[in-house]
Amino acid sequence: MKRFAALTFATALSIGIAAADTAPAPVLLPKNDYANPANWLCLPGRADDACGRAKEDTTVVEADGTMTVKPFAPDPNAPIDCFYVYPTVSLDPGVVSDMNPGPEEYSVIQAQFARFGAKCRTYAPMYRQFTLTALMARQSGKPMAQTVDPKQNVDDVIDAWNYYLKNYNHGRGVVLIGHSQGSGVLTQMIKSEIDGKPIQKQLISAILMGTRLAVPKDDSGVGGDFKTIPLCKSSTQLGCAIAYASFRDTAPPPADTFFGKVQDPAMKAACVNPTALGGGEGPAETYFGTGGQIVNASTAVEWVKGKPIATAFVSTPGLVTAQCKMDASGVTYLAVIVHGDPKSPRTADIPGDVRVGGQVLPQWGLHLIDAHLFMGNLLDIVGQEGVAYLKANPAH
């Protein structure tokens, strides 16, 4: 239930549902000191931080049940940077989290971000996000008093971003990565700090998972939430955005979906397919968590009949493909197609549906595993974008 609450609250923030309980005069807290390394979950070269200690080795399970272990190795000399904002995971007791990382912050880094260390230098600031505790109190009918400005999360991340630019970036290209609440925060930061400003030339791409980014219905390329940042159409395109929300193709978004639609009737929710940026259907390079990374799948999976998985992740080549779709009402989503064979020793299905009381809640789709489904594809894209950026900017 805690994990479902995390997704509920993160999505509420990303899709514009009220993020604060009614309270008189909420205030911003004093600014964080991002010169303090303790306020960063990940900084390059730290073996004991959330990225440095993450276990990323993966068991690759082929359709015939063959298993091989794929070790993970970060690149200490990666030529570009990645800046990550994590989703709602904090179990702190107040409405707004503190700046002391717990197991949940370490887990989300392992699930969604540390693997990017193979392609880029990794930066992940702590920030004062809205907590699971406050959400669960609201859901129980006993909301906590909101004394902190609901923009605290955005302001913290902007402060971290500006410190990163001044002290760590040194003119390098950067990929922005977020999920759910993190994607919503990054969207606001991009709008105020990057879109149409000189720093935009260093934006390699923005990967905004599990959100609904407004773009024009006419596919003109720019407009909506971002005025000058288009959607990515290829892995060599720079300064573009990848945004999506994933659903099973057999369970598309219902009428009351939390994703796939935006308020402006002239706009639609962006869907950029990491498996085929140019359009169509492509194979998903999955990295499913086998332990407690960010949120466990809602149902247990035996990945290979009678055989345990010893690594923190499992990859299933050929099991999943994906394609962006739009329904008759204009709802856009990334349709996930599972190609399982019940006769194979490998699992014929994937986990990831949100369940409460044993019932699947279709409004959420596969939000639990937005990152896991396409992690390999995103890594490939970031790697190719990095090459394109260095070619276009040889001085860096």
Side-chain angles (χ1 to χ4, degrees):
M1 184 60 186
K2 288 181 179 178
R3 294 189 178 103
F4 170 66
L7 272 296
T8 305
F9 193 56
T11 304
L13 291 175
S14 70
I15 66 177
I17 298 173
D21 296 303
T22 302
V27 297
L28 281 169
L29 299 173
K31 287 182 176 293
N32 289 321
D33 179 12
Y34 284 104
N36 182 355
N39 288 333
W40 294 84
L41 284 165
C42 296
L43 287 173
R46 298 195 306 186
D48 61 344
D49 71 8
C51 285
R53 64 197 270 186
K55 300 182 183 303
E56 299 292 320
D57 290 353
T58 302
T59 299
V60 180
V61 181
E62 303 291 346
D64 63 0
T66 301
M67 298 193 301
T68 56
V69 173
K70 181 180 180 181
F72 173 76
D75 181 0
N77 300 311
I80 61 172
D81 294 348
C82 288
F83 185 98
Y84 168 72
V85 183
Y86 51 91
T88 309
V89 293
S90 176
L91 297 173
D92 290 346
V95 175
V96 175
S97 65
D98 61 29
M99 291 293 290
N100 299 312
E104 59 269 34
E105 282 90 1
Y106 282 93
S107 291
V108 73
I109 291 291
Q110 179 165 309
Q112 292 191 340
F113 186 56
R115 193 174 300 278
F116 282 95
K119 304 295 181 181
C120 52
R121 299 195 307 181
T122 51
Y123 295 86
M126 286 285 293
Y127 69 102
R128 288 169 289 195
Q129 66 170 213
F130 295 95
T131 65
L132 302 186
T133 310
L135 173 65
M136 291 186 283
R138 182 185 292 118
Q139 288 181 327
S140 71
K142 298 178 181 179
M144 296 178 175
Q146 174 67 60
T147 59
V148 177
D149 192 305
K151 288 175 64 274
Q152 185 70 60
N153 53 359
V154 177
D155 288 345
D156 279 359
V157 171
I158 288 175
D159 288 343
W161 168 251
N162 286 327
Y163 185 86
Y164 155 80
L165 287 179
K166 183 177 180 180
N167 297 278
Y168 295 138
N169 175 263
H170 304 301
R172 292 159 63 94
V174 58
V175 178
L176 301 177
I177 302 169
H179 179 247
S180 206
Q181 182 180 172
S183 291
V185 169
L186 277 177
T187 297
Q188 295 305 312
M189 188 190 84
I190 292 168
K191 290 167 72 172
S192 68
E193 304 297 312
I194 299 174
D195 194 2
K197 294 181 169 56
I199 191 61
Q200 186 174 335
K201 67 181 184 296
Q202 290 175 235
L203 177 67
I204 294 176
S205 66
I207 299 172
L208 306 172
M209 302 174 283
T211 192
R212 57 182 200 179
L213 183 75
V215 296
K217 283 184 176 179
D218 62 8
D219 293 320
S220 57
V222 294
D225 280 325
F226 301 149
K227 304 308 179 186
T228 62
I229 297 172
L231 299 180
C232 295
K233 301 296 185 183
S234 78
S235 58
T236 58
Q237 182 181 355
L238 301 174
C240 55
I242 295 171
Y244 63 88
S246 51
F247 286 77
R248 290 181 184 267
D249 72 317
T250 55
D256 58 347
T257 180
F258 295 124
F259 299 99
K261 54 186 178 181
V262 296
Q263 293 180 343
D264 187 339
M267 301 287 163
K268 65 180 178 180
C271 181
V272 178
N273 181 3
T275 76
L277 292 179
E281 184 176 341
E285 298 178 35
T286 59
Y287 281 85
F288 295 108
T290 61
Q293 301 90 359
I294 182 174
V295 283
N296 280 332
S298 53
T299 53
V301 167
E302 187 179 26
W303 297 103
V304 181
K305 294 175 183 177
K307 295 182 180 180
I309 302 293
T311 58
F313 292 90
V314 61
S315 185
T316 55
L319 183 59
V320 174
T321 60
Q323 182 176 11
C324 285
K325 292 186 178 181
M326 176 184 289
D327 69 15
S329 67
V331 172
T332 55
Y333 62 101
L334 186 52
V336 174
I337 305 103
V338 181
H339 303 272
D341 179 0
K343 297 179 181 179
S344 168
R346 186 176 73 177
T347 180
D349 200 5
I350 61 172
D353 303 292
V354 176
R355 295 176 184 267
V356 173
Q359 298 297 313
V360 173
L361 302 185
Q363 302 93 333
W364 302 102
L366 294 172
H367 192 69
L368 291 170
I369 54 172
D370 281 320
H372 302 73
L373 282 164
F374 309 109
M375 180 59 68
N377 305 94
L378 294 171
L379 287 169
D380 290 342
I381 291 167
V382 169
Q384 292 173 54
E385 288 176 332
V387 171
Y389 182 84
L390 293 178
K391 184 177 180 179
N393 301 273
H396 299 291

